[in-house]
Amino acid sequence: MPMYKKTKVLLGTLVLGLGISLIPNIALATNNVTLTTSTIIRVGGLNFNISGASAVINSLTVNASSFALTLDSGQTAQITSSDRKVLTDNISATNISQDTCSDSSEILGLKSSSDGTVITVTPSSVTCTIIGGGGGGGSSSSGSSGGGSSYSAPAATPATPATPATPATQTTPAVPATPATPATPSLMSASFSRDLELGVTGDDVINLQKFLNSKGYTVSSSGAGSVGNETSKFGPATKNALARFQKANGLTAQGYFGAKTRALIASMDNNAASSETTNSILITTPSTNVQTSFARNLDVGSKGEDVRALQEFLIARNVGQAAAALAANGLTNNMGKLTKAALAEYQASVGIKPASGYFGPLTRSYIESNR
């Protein structure tokens, strides 16, 4: 990976565009920067404000659809989107000090991690959801504040007997048809002889994208990078998919394809060669089974298999843009902003009020009877 010389730079207001810098001698990648005022960067045609009280940023890299930074130990920074776009990240909740949506902005507060993890922030095309709760306002913890919750089609509840249709989900055993993807061995058998990172091109990048797509760590849900449309360019989408694969398999989730990741894939290839069931290698692949029972309320920050099952349900229903964004991000056991937005979108589509993205008794009952 590239090494940067550590040089402290005192910045006023820095405006970075894609491919150019509006301040001489400042490139798209900087390191060891001390913020004295806010810094404005531009990603995907949108402006984002980075601020912090004299926060030391070890590195700041702006890409076409995301940006990455590392904070000095004990430092904090705040990312503000005046366009209210949902900001997704690759770090744990303990390193997030703030995550709020208002009628004027989306704000993401970051805290440095002890292991110096590179924090990758990816702006979504989805606008953040402002949670309204009648008189209380801004709270989604009860699903019944300000006049209570209701949905407009209670008569649909008798359809509960249709739940026997759930066995139809047993067709999920068609998933074993996945082994029919023995094309995968040829992808894995492709030798990866070099490290890969953002900006690299080549046939080995195509093979890496095919590998990630075949294992459920989708590079893109449609267009370039999607299944059957893999490309030779290592872009932000490839980096994000690789980071999810690394995290699921116990590697540092930085999206850099180095020696450890290559060795892991090579070992999987060796294991596969000794068995006809090539695809049953020890890799964590997103499940498509939505039979998990919903026995509790869920909100942003909730974790567990029921969160994953809710994500599968929302992706399967695919009622709009938020569900598509959730599918592109991939399944997790963590309920974040994308899950909340997709749930609010689904609630609105079936008449559950308020469509706040809070998974309470009414929504649980409705989904259980319509799965």
Side-chain angles (χ1 to χ4, degrees), residues 20-89:
I20 62 170
S21 169
L22 298 185
I23 295 181
N25 303 321
I26 301 295
L28 280 178
T30 65
N31 52 325
N32 278 79
V33 172
T34 300
L35 295 179
T36 58
T37 61
S38 61
T39 298
I40 299 173
I41 61 174
R42 189 169 179 82
V43 178
L46 300 173
N47 289 335
F48 300 90
N49 185 297
I50 303 179
S51 59
S54 296
V56 177
I57 297 180
N58 287 336
S59 66
L60 172 60
T61 303
V62 180
N63 303 308
S65 61
S66 66
F67 57 95
L69 69 159
T70 56
L71 294 170
D72 210 353
S73 177
Q75 301 295 303
T76 62
Q78 178 175 292
I79 315 297
T80 302
S81 167
S82 58
D83 297 290
R84 298 179 53 224
K85 297 304 181 184
V86 171
L87 301 173
T88 60
D89 54 74

Side-chain angles (χ1 to χ4, degrees), residues 83-130:
D83 297 290
R84 298 179 53 224
K85 297 304 181 184
V86 171
L87 301 173
T88 60
D89 54 74
N90 65 328
I91 57 177
S92 67
T94 57
N95 297 114
I96 298 176
S97 61
Q98 181 182 2
D99 190 350
T100 57
C101 175
S102 69
D103 57 4
S104 62
S105 65
E106 157 81 348
I107 298 176
L108 180 64
L110 304 174
K111 297 188 294 185
S112 62
S113 60
S114 58
D115 60 0
T117 297
V118 176
I119 302 172
T120 300
V121 179
T122 305
S124 168
S125 60
V126 178
T127 300
C128 68
T129 302
I130 302 174

